[in-house]
Amino acid sequence: MEPAEVSSLKSILGIARIVALVFMIIFLLAGLASLGVALAFAAVGFGGLGLVFAILPILFFVINLIIWMQVGEIRRMVDAGRYQEAKSKSLIWMILGFILGGLIIGILLLIAYLKFDPVINWQRQQQAGGQPPAQGGWVAPPPAAPPMAPPMAPVAATAPPAPAAGTCPRCGKPATWVAQYNRWYCYGCQQYV
Ligand SMILES: [Zn+2]
């Protein structure tokens, strides 16, 4: 059902999430280790210096936590088919990823960002192609008898009032030729054109 681009987009977002998670764990461990060092420094009277080293990994832990949550949000948007929204969000977090989250997350989100366009095009085609249901499950068939057939008007004389390859002049949708009545019928307007 969904094209390969959508599944590869989801995998890339999944990988970006895992990378952010790995960074989170690394920075958390580094933060805890630095905290230990900070306590050791404090014990010998250099508390302030140790604290500076502890703050940085904890800060990066928080940044990666936020990226991890945001990428999860982008994935939910993709799952819901809100590709345009997900694309804009990816752009923001790609830039922030490059600046704050390290090169890997930035590159992964860049790849994801570039994959949105084919996916969005595919979605547009799906929507455009899905509009006229040719089988006509929801559209009424042409009425058994034409609503009003003026007897004085010979059908052949006025037969093709819409000669533009069977297009409805009211709504512009393609009309259907009903050979039985020798007229064009528009399923959109549900009347003869
Ligand atoms: Zn029409």
Side-chain angles (χ1 to χ4, degrees):
M1 186 70 193
E2 63 180 29
E5 281 92 351
V6 175
S7 21
S8 72
L9 180 60
K10 283 179 184 171
S11 340
I12 289 164
L13 290 173
I15 294 166
R17 252 190 131 205
I18 291 166
V19 172
L21 191 67
V22 169
F23 280 161
M24 263 164 67
I25 294 165
I26 290 170
F27 283 120
L28 183 66
L29 293 176
L32 290 176
S34 308
L35 215 60
V37 174
L39 290 174
F41 269 108
V44 291
F46 295 102
L49 187 66
L51 210 60
V52 171
F53 287 106
I55 282 171
L56 275 178
I58 289 167
L59 186 70
F60 280 114
F61 164 75
V62 172
I63 288 166
N64 278 283
L65 175 69
I66 294 168
I67 290 174
W68 178 76
M69 289 191 300
Q70 293 299 317
V71 174
E73 181 68 25
I74 292 169
R75 241 202 109 159
R76 272 190 292 279
M77 286 175 174
V78 170
D79 285 337
R82 288 146 61 200
Y83 300 122
Q84 198 67 53
E85 268 178 88
K87 186 189 170 189
S88 326
K89 208 174 174 71
S90 295
L91 177 65
I92 297 163
W93 287 97
M94 174 190 85
I95 295 163
L96 291 175
F98 269 123
I99 298 167
L100 304 169
L103 213 57
I104 300 170
I105 290 175
I107 288 169
L108 285 169
L109 287 178
L110 174 65
I111 296 168
Y113 177 75
L114 294 175
K115 279 194 177 288
F116 273 111
D117 277 335
V119 169
I120 289 168
N121 285 338
W122 164 79
Q123 192 185 35
R124 284 202 187 121
Q125 277 167 15
Q126 287 286 105
Q127 284 168 351
Q131 265 173 11
Q135 287 83 6
W138 56 280
V139 208
M148 44 170 208
M152 83 292 189
V155 176
T158 53
T167 311
C168 174
R170 293 184 202 87
C171 65
K173 282 180 188 167
T176 309
W177 177 253
V178 184
Q180 196 186 346
Y181 301 119
N182 214 29
R183 296 184 74 176
W184 292 96
Y185 183 81
C186 174
Y187 281 88
C189 305
Q190 300 208 343
Q191 50 185 305
Y192 287 99
V193 295

